[in-house]
Amino acid sequence: MMNKLILGRYLPGDSLIHRLDPRAKLIASFYFIGIIFLANNFVSYAMLGIFTLCCLLLSKIDFGFFLRGVRPLIWLILFTVALQIFFTGGGEVYWKWGVFQLTEFGIQNGIFIFCRFVLIIFMSTLLTLTTPPLALSDAIEYLLRPLKPLKVPVHEISLMLSIALRFVPTLMDETEKIMNAQRARGVDFGEGNLVQKMKAVIPLLIPLFVSSFNRADDLATAMEARGYQGGDGRTKYRVLHWSTKDTIVIVTFAVLTAVLMYIRN
Amino acid sequence: MDIRFEQVGFTYQPNSPFEQRVLFDIDLAIKEGSYTALVGHTGSGKSTLLQHLNALLKPTSGTVTIGDRVITAETNNKNLKPIRQKVGIVFQFPEAQLFEETVERDIAFGPKNFGVPEEEANRLAAKTLEMVGLDESYLQRSPFDLSGGQMRRVAIAGVLAMEPEVLVLDEPTAGLDPQGRKEMMEMFARLHHENKITIVLVTHLMDDVADFSDYVYVLEKGTLVKQGTPREVFQEVEWLQAKQLGVPTATAFAQKLVTRGIHFDSLPLTSKELAEMLIAKGGLPYDE
């Protein structure tokens, strides 16, 4: 069921991108999503496209992965693009029917939106494919640290995040198992009308919640037994190392921004 | 009802980067009325194989014949329900599948899914609850109030209530105490003998294989590496130990006696058999 989902998966590897500090990658990915909105003409989009392509090549991951990452979202993208194309006015009008119109600006906007979507998905897929979930949550904890004086429970958030990430595959397995057990007892998932479909989910949801409660209970007991008392005074086993290549990444993005500012109109 | 595997292969997530082949050209037959054991390491593909027995998974190559239904990669997911009723699967830690408010409703859930009217389903619930060794007073209790062992019994009753012809058990006694383990295995043996239910048992416990089964399949890395009656399979103690599969306790002990110079015509499988063989050797008197 979830097998087709590439977005959010980690693919072990040993490329330049894999070895970058997760903080650098996280900052860069969010920053990229920000600066993509700076692009507003074909040259700037072409440049961003080439830049993204270089990043993807550096990761040494088969290009097919990234295409598959786009696939689940393709209808959303096409829907948005279609809205843009048919409802944006301006420029030369090619075709008109009621509220629908096909204009120069509309088509241009549609292409831009499409590029934006694809580039953002490519970059975020690159981030998750090359970064183990735990490294990501470490990075998030580090980056949230400035919020500590503002009484944001940074340690708790990052603890919950890493536990949640750790248990996503376990819960998926559990879901699969319970689903199979109930199918063996004659439940048809995803068949019949809406009401029947919703009813079929109950024998899946209740055991899942119950087992999550039990799991949480066990985990909390085990953590206490091992001396966990909260975030204060803890040392770290996984230490993040910022190196020159991470600085280079940040500098590259700064240069990219400058170039973008120059060629946008 | 016979179940036959012919050249069955199975791949998880085929044609994706996470593709993983787990079964290779499996040929096996589960005859009506047999008690078949399926052994192998964790990760040898046992659990994948058993999900083929009621078409929860379809083979990516080869065919599975369940009764008169032939399941191939192209088989449609519709109309598989009759198979699921005839082949009941008790998964590992089946207590995780309980969800209803009362034990009675949970057990009756399976039969009701297969179109059994409510009253009849409740009657079946009472009957199967007794079969698994719990009395009527449990019928109206919530399954979540029970102990782990009792929950397991209720879950098993829920599968038995569908009145399957073939019962597939995936490590049914994992995590139970010795007494509960013994009771449960004897219950399955009783079902096998009295109700003529075909049983497929997946287990790590070779003693259970020796005590109960009449045919064994040994699975390793997705291929069948050995098959035969327990007597045939367990004669090759060294081969099994080299594969870290283990042999029944009595057989292992007899093997030690062999290294000390005691000769057996064929190695015993159970402690009773071992005792009898030793008496026959005219050794020590055997007082019960």
Side-chain angles (χ1 to χ4, degrees):
Chain A
M1 162 183 61
M2 296 290 173
N3 297 344
K4 293 189 184 83
L5 214 60
I6 299 290
L7 198 77
R9 281 214 173 178
Y10 169 61
L11 206 71
D14 185 37
S15 67
L16 177 68
I17 306 262
H18 278 92
R19 274 178 274 123
L20 284 177
D21 190 294
R23 286 169 295 184
K25 279 189 272 189
L26 197 63
I27 296 172
S29 305
F30 276 98
Y31 189 71
F32 184 80
I33 292 171
I35 58 171
I36 206 164
F37 293 99
L38 285 177
N40 63 357
N41 57 18
F42 283 105
V43 186
S44 49
Y45 272 108
M47 196 195 70
L48 282 178
I50 291 167
F51 178 78
T52 311
L53 207 62
C54 291
C55 294
L56 301 192
L57 286 178
L58 274 178
S59 74
K60 291 185 193 156
I61 292 174
D62 181 21
F63 191 66
F65 278 94
F66 298 102
L67 288 181
R68 271 187 289 258
V70 176
R71 210 191 288 162
L73 293 169
I74 194 72
W75 294 112
L76 178 73
I77 298 174
L78 289 182
F79 178 70
T80 320
V81 169
L83 282 187
Q84 284 291 334
I85 289 180
F86 289 120
F87 291 108
T88 313
E92 196 178 327
V93 178
Y94 301 117
W95 176 78
K96 198 169 162 72
W97 183 74
V99 285
F100 297 99
Q101 53 183 352
L102 211 56
T103 65
E104 190 188 343
F105 283 6
I107 291 172
Q108 195 185 337
N109 249 344
I111 294 171
F112 285 172
I113 294 274
F114 182 79
C115 291
R116 240 179 242 172
F117 263 115
V118 171
L119 291 182
I120 288 176
I121 294 169
F122 275 177
M123 271 300 190
S124 39
T125 310
L126 180 68
L127 173 73
T128 55
L129 278 181
T130 59
T131 322
L134 275 179
L136 265 186
S137 91
D138 283 345
I140 292 172
E141 178 175 15
Y142 184 88
L143 296 174
L144 284 181
R145 270 202 336 210
L147 296 177
K148 226 175 184 173
L150 300 173
K151 299 239 189 299
V152 177
V154 173
H155 170 74
E156 279 72 15
I157 291 176
S158 83
L159 179 76
M160 283 193 283
L161 196 64
S162 41
I163 291 178
L165 284 172
R166 155 67 186 77
F167 279 102
V168 167
T170 316
L171 276 178
M172 297 258 265
D173 276 0
E174 182 105 21
T175 312
E176 187 93 26
K177 265 187 205 152
I178 296 172
M179 235 168 139
N180 274 337
Q182 305 298 27
R183 276 162 71 196
R185 293 212 286 168
V187 179
D188 291 318
F189 290 103
E191 270 173 44
N193 60 36
L194 195 65
V195 180
Q196 284 170 323
K197 271 186 200 167
M198 277 159 66
K199 269 193 173 162
V201 179
I202 297 173
L204 175 63
L205 275 189
I206 293 179
L208 259 184
F209 272 109
V210 171
S211 91
S212 301
F213 287 141
N214 290 338
R215 207 184 286 283
D217 225 22
D218 290 346
L219 184 67
T221 313
M223 280 170 72
E224 265 187 59
R226 295 172 71 181
Y228 177 79
Q229 302 200 322
D232 295 328
R234 270 168 69 86
T235 53
K236 275 192 165 303
Y237 174 65
R238 294 187 305 269
V239 182
L240 300 172
H241 292 288
W242 190 274
S243 61
T244 329
K245 53 181 185 291
D246 302 308
T247 316
I248 295 173
V249 170
I250 301 298
V251 172
T252 314
F253 271 82
V255 172
L256 184 71
T257 318
V259 177
L260 260 183
M261 296 296 268
Y262 179 71
I263 58 177
R264 77 192 290 256
N265 45 14
Chain B
M1 196 172 65
D2 291 343
I3 299 179
R4 261 194 349 270
F5 280 47
E6 273 162 65
Q7 294 289 302
V8 169
F10 185 76
T11 310
Y12 278 108
Q13 306 184 34
N15 306 320
S16 86
F18 306 97
E19 180 175 292
Q20 193 187 9
R21 183 138 193 219
V22 281
L23 292 181
F24 300 86
D25 302 331
I26 302 274
D27 281 299
L28 61 76
I30 288 154
K31 293 200 181 63
E32 186 168 322
S34 68
Y35 195 132
T36 308
L38 199 61
V39 298
H41 280 292
T42 21
S44 58
K46 293 174 303 204
S47 297
T48 307
L49 196 154
L50 78 83
Q51 288 178 47
H52 283 82
L53 295 172
N54 73 350
L56 282 175
L57 294 177
K58 291 177 290 181
T60 30
S61 63
T63 58
V64 177
T65 314
I66 306 170
D68 46 16
R69 279 293 295 272
V70 180
I71 310 286
T72 64
E74 284 82 33
T75 303
N76 197 300
N77 275 329
K78 296 241 157 66
N79 304 322
L80 293 174
K81 258 189 163 179
I83 294 179
R84 307 244 162 98
Q85 183 177 14
K86 283 181 185 152
V87 184
I89 297 191
V90 177
F91 283 91
Q92 245 177 72
F93 301 104
E95 50 274 30
Q97 74 193 30
L98 303 175
F99 72 101
E100 280 280 14
E101 289 155 48
T102 65
V103 167
E104 181 180 43
R105 289 180 56 173
D106 205 289
I107 300 178
F109 177 72
K112 277 194 275 186
N113 280 333
F114 293 113
V116 175
E118 177 118 20
E119 258 172 56
E120 171 71 5
N122 287 345
R123 197 189 58 77
L124 278 170
K127 192 180 111 187
T128 47
L129 192 66
E130 200 187 308
M131 276 159 79
V132 298
L134 295 175
D135 62 60
E136 272 181 23
S137 65
Y138 286 93
L139 278 177
Q140 296 310 321
R141 291 176 64 175
S142 158
F144 298 109
D145 290 340
L146 305 178
S147 76
Q150 289 167 335
M151 281 169 86
R152 170 120 12 136
R153 283 161 196 264
V154 172
I156 292 173
V159 175
L160 288 177
M162 306 181 330
E163 304 195 294
E165 292 174 28
V166 180
L167 184 63
V168 183
L169 306 162
D170 191 358
E171 299 192 36
T173 60
L176 290 187
D177 57 87
Q179 182 63 26
R181 172 173 291 173
K182 189 161 168 273
E183 278 174 22
M184 204 150 275
M185 288 313 295
E186 279 165 1
M187 178 190 86
F188 293 132
R190 217 168 42 240
L191 284 171
H192 175 63
H193 286 121
E194 288 169 13
N195 302 27
K196 304 281 174 256
I197 293 182
T198 309
I199 290 188
V200 180
L201 172 73
V202 173
T203 186
H204 290 295
L205 303 170
M206 299 302 166
D207 283 341
D208 284 350
V209 177
D211 287 343
F212 299 107
S213 72
D214 47 36
Y215 207 78
V216 189
Y217 286 102
V218 184
L219 206 58
E220 192 185 54
K221 289 182 188 142
T223 42
L224 279 177
V225 286
K226 204 170 249 328
Q227 55 174 296
T229 62
R231 191 160 305 278
E232 288 160 7
V233 170
F234 289 131
Q235 290 311 306
E236 294 171 60
V237 178
E238 268 130 30
W239 182 84
L240 285 163
Q241 281 172 344
K243 298 231 176 249
Q244 294 179 341
L245 282 164
V247 287
T249 328
T251 315
F253 186 72
Q255 178 70 16
K256 278 188 184 162
L257 292 178
V258 168
T259 60
R260 297 282 179 91
I262 299 179
H263 171 76
F264 292 97
D265 290 330
S266 77
L267 291 172
L269 299 182
T270 60
S271 46
K272 189 160 171 264
E273 221 176 86
L274 173 64
E276 279 163 4
M277 283 179 180
L278 290 175
I279 298 163
K281 297 230 165 272
L284 302 158
Y286 177 62
D287 296 320
E288 197 80 54

